Structure formats: C-alpha cells, structure tokens
Amino acid sequence: MSYTTRAPRGSEEDGREYHFTTKENFERMIAADEFLEYATVFGDNYYGTAISALQQAREHGHDLLLDIDVQGALQVMKKVPEAVSIFILPPSPQVLEMRLRNRSQAEGVTQEDVIERRLSQARNELLKIGDYKYALVNDQLDLAASEMRAIVLSERGESGKTAAIAARCLTVAHSARLDAALASFQVTPAAR
C-alpha cells in the first residue's frame, strides 16, 4: 500500500486505499531511505511505496503489484532491474477524461484544474512507454485482466497459450490496439 501526503477523498480511509501521512513524516521516511520509490505528483503531494512492502512480499513468496506513476516506475526499474514493468493506458484521451470525471464525481470532488493537468501530463508519460517491458490498453476490462494474468503467469515461467498472449503485450510487439491508442494521444512509434 502506498503512502501519500494528500488528504483522503470521499470515502477513502487510512490503511485501506493509502497510508495517509504528513509531509514532515514522509520527508523523514525519505531521509531514512525507507522508500522503494516516491515522487511529487502535480507539484502538490508526495506518493511513495515503502521498501518494507517489497521485503514483505519476498518473505512470503508473493508477487508485489504496484499501481504507480511513470516517475515511480522508472525508479523501481532502476533499483530492481528484474521487476516486470507494465504500462497500462486508456484507449484514448477522451476515455481518460471520462474516467477522470467519473472518478471525481464518485469521490464528490470535481477539480477541473486537476483533471486538466492529468490530461496534459498523459501524453508526456506515454513518451516513456518504450522503457516498459509490456503495455496493456485498458479498453475492455475482461481482456485487459486476461492479458495481465497472462503476463504474470508467463513471467513465472508458464508457456504455451499464456506465453503467446503475454508476447503480444510486449511493448516492442507494436500491437494494433497499442498503436491505435498511442496515435489517439498523438504519440507515434518513432516517438517512443
């Protein structure tokens, strides 16, 4: 579970969605080198994953799935080269905007400036997709979940149909779905 210095939104609770903490405590944790990755997001708040989460997963023989932004992912890839990186992207900027607005409505907090910043940052983040091993277009939930499962199982050593599905999700595979999504954000394969 990630740490953040932002205030809880809507029905969020400390220890369920995030560990909500103060800026001072977060900066103390940075100084003590307690984070696997951390970043300041949109210049306002810190977000980060404690190293202890990785250590705990390893001790129990579990995979650790991190839902983090590009800044954090690049840090993880540098610190843990064996990490499997998966870039999950929406099929278009219009779908991204709709999802951001729906989430804001559900949380009871619609901040136009935050939505606009996230939309403008999306293209810049997509320029880093070539740094990731895999890419999933989250256009159909069942399909994206199946692809995610195939990647995990393939990385654990499973072969056959599962490995074939995972191979189609390799960033270098240039799937038609991936190329279409990137084109909708005006990101060309050459720009990756």
Side-chain angles (χ1 to χ4, degrees), residues 19-147:
H19 291 294
F20 295 97
T21 190
T22 63
K23 184 176 181 183
E24 295 74 26
N25 187 54
F26 199 103
E27 289 174 344
R28 181 201 58 74
M29 292 174 74
I30 292 170
D33 202 27
E34 293 181 26
F35 286 107
L36 173 62
E37 60 81 27
Y38 70 92
T40 304
V41 179
F42 303 117
D44 298 333
N45 293 298
Y46 284 115
Y47 289 80
T49 305
I51 290 173
S52 61
L54 178 60
Q55 293 165 338
Q56 189 175 36
R58 282 182 174 159
E59 287 170 10
H60 291 96
H62 295 152
D63 296 320
L64 179 63
L65 177 67
L66 302 177
D67 177 7
I68 55 179
D69 73 345
V70 171
Q71 295 176 72
L74 293 174
Q75 290 175 46
V76 171
M77 287 183 246
K78 187 175 180 179
K79 289 181 180 177
V80 187
E82 69 275 15
V84 177
S85 55
I86 307 169
F87 195 114
I88 302 174
L89 65 149
S92 70
Q94 295 79 14
V95 170
L96 175 59
E97 181 176 6
M98 178 190 69
R99 290 176 182 173
L100 290 170
R101 290 189 183 287
N102 287 345
R103 186 176 77 186
S104 293
Q105 259 185 328
E107 293 171 347
V109 182
T110 302
Q111 296 174 307
E112 287 299 321
D113 61 322
V114 171
I115 292 171
E116 290 304 318
R117 278 188 289 176
R118 287 179 181 254
L119 289 170
S120 67
Q121 188 174 0
R123 183 177 185 283
N124 290 332
E125 290 181 346
L126 285 168
L127 293 173
K128 297 289 186 187
I129 200 167
D131 294 334
Y132 289 72
K133 184 170 183 178
Y134 296 97
L136 296 180
V137 179
N138 187 8
D139 53 354
Q140 301 169 46
L141 183 58
D142 290 344
L143 178 57
S146 293
E147 291 171 337

Side-chain angles (χ1 to χ4, degrees), residues 63-65 84 86 134 136 145-158 162 166:
D63 296 320
L64 179 63
L65 177 67
V84 177
I86 307 169
Y134 296 97
L136 296 180
S146 293
E147 291 171 337
M148 175 73 81
R149 181 180 182 277
I151 290 168
V152 170
L153 294 175
S154 176
E155 288 291 330
R156 288 181 184 164
E158 205 168 292
T162 298

